[in-house]
Amino acid sequence: AQSVAQPEDQVNVAEGNPLTVKCTYSVSGNPYLFWYVQYPNRGLQFLLKYITGDNLVKGSYGFEAEFNKSQTSFHLKKPSALVSDSALYFCAVREGGGGFKTIFGAGTRLFVKA
Amino acid sequence: DGGITQSPKYLFRKEGQNVTLSCEQNLNHDAMYWYRQDPGQGLRLIYYSQIVNDFQKGDIAEGYSVSREKKESFPLTVTSAQKNPTAFYLCASSISGQGDYQPQHFGDGTRLSIL
């Protein structure tokens, strides 16, 4: 069965420092991976996805993610954090083999301190 | 601008009452979804629909019902059988269903509470 793990409930980083939000996955077949961000009392917004191709995927707002097949990871990164990046981040995996469901991780809350 | 509109933003339910959450999209998407979000649990799929007049149960469908009479609309009814309905409910859509790996677009949610 497909699953997604976000091992950190919360990540704290100082503004201007690099940030990493971790995600590992388990999926049969090829993984289709996504990152979304959620601000308070709002819906999720799509940041980036990995379907195939380059292991480093670039997305919105300066975020990028690195796909590592051997470690089954898809960590979200940003070289220089902003206070406005503080939000809840979700990693998600789409079922392979023509499946329909998207499985979401439990979320990681990012706090960026000025 | 295209998007997904959920209403109301806040909803209160009395014991034994059914309530309906509205979800409308003008993105011309075929697939629509309902999720429930509880703190620390991520999103759990309630129902999804790949096409008009068809829908499927998700992981936590008990106590909920849906309809898909129009492409643009996918209302969710929380019935009195749902004993713990307090949650944040999110509606989403995507271009198409099976085999499509485009991201989902989300509404801004409805927060349901019990009186």
Side-chain angles (χ1 to χ4, degrees):
Chain A
Q2 277 72 213
S3 66
V4 175
Q6 294 183 241
E8 301 155 316
D9 292 336
Q10 184 172 308
V11 170
N12 298 311
V13 64
E15 188 173 35
N17 283 0
L19 69 87
T20 299
V21 182
K22 296 179 180 177
C23 172
T24 59
Y25 66 89
S26 174
V27 63
S28 55
N30 293 323
Y32 302 100
L33 298 157
F34 302 81
W35 275 103
Y36 292 85
V37 61
Q38 184 181 34
Y39 297 98
N41 295 312
R42 301 294 301 275
L44 278 65
Q45 296 177 34
F46 168 71
L47 282 178
L48 50 81
K49 66 179 179 182
Y50 173 83
I51 304 299
T52 186
D54 290 340
N55 290 342
L56 187 63
V57 179
K58 293 190 183 297
S60 305
Y61 312 120
F63 284 93
E64 57 191 26
E66 186 171 10
F67 171 68
N68 187 317
K69 188 172 183 178
S70 62
Q71 297 185 7
T72 62
S73 67
F74 189 55
H75 300 333
L76 182 70
K77 301 183 179 187
K78 187 173 183 182
S80 179
L82 300 172
V83 171
S84 57
D85 292 330
S86 298
L88 186 58
Y89 290 81
F90 290 97
C91 183
V93 61
R94 180 70 180 260
E95 283 186 332
F100 188 81
K101 291 183 189 176
T102 297
I103 310 300
F104 289 85
T108 297
R109 191 164 297 280
L110 174 67
F111 286 104
V112 182
K113 190 164 61 174
Chain B
D1 286 340
I4 299 181
T5 301
Q6 291 188 242
S7 62
K9 193 167 182 65
Y10 299 95
L11 187 59
F12 298 91
R13 196 191 87 169
K14 296 179 181 178
E15 293 288 340
Q17 185 182 43
N18 293 351
V19 292
T20 297
L21 284 60
S22 171
C23 177
E24 302 278 333
Q25 55 101 355
N26 60 3
L27 298 166
N28 200 33
H29 286 172
D30 284 314
M32 296 187 74
Y33 316 75
W34 274 106
Y35 293 94
R36 171 178 171 142
Q37 183 178 14
D38 296 282
Q41 293 194 44
L43 275 65
R44 293 184 288 168
L45 183 64
I46 304 173
Y47 270 97
Y48 64 95
S49 169
Q50 296 176 259
I51 197 167
V52 175
N53 292 322
D54 184 60
F55 50 82
Q56 307 294 329
K57 292 182 179 180
D59 299 317
I60 56 165
E62 185 175 350
Y64 301 97
S65 66
V66 293
S67 63
R68 186 88 187 274
E69 297 176 1
K70 298 186 299 182
K71 187 175 185 177
E72 304 80 29
S73 179
F74 192 41
L76 173 75
T77 296
V78 184
T79 75
S80 57
Q82 172 50 243
K83 297 306 179 188
N84 184 24
T86 297
F88 191 50
Y89 291 87
L90 288 164
C91 180
S93 70
S94 64
I95 292 174
S96 62
Q98 190 170 359
D100 165 49
Y101 303 109
Q102 295 302 315
Q104 295 179 19
H105 296 249
F106 285 81
D108 279 339
T110 292
R111 190 168 298 279
L112 176 61
S113 301
I114 295 296
L115 282 179

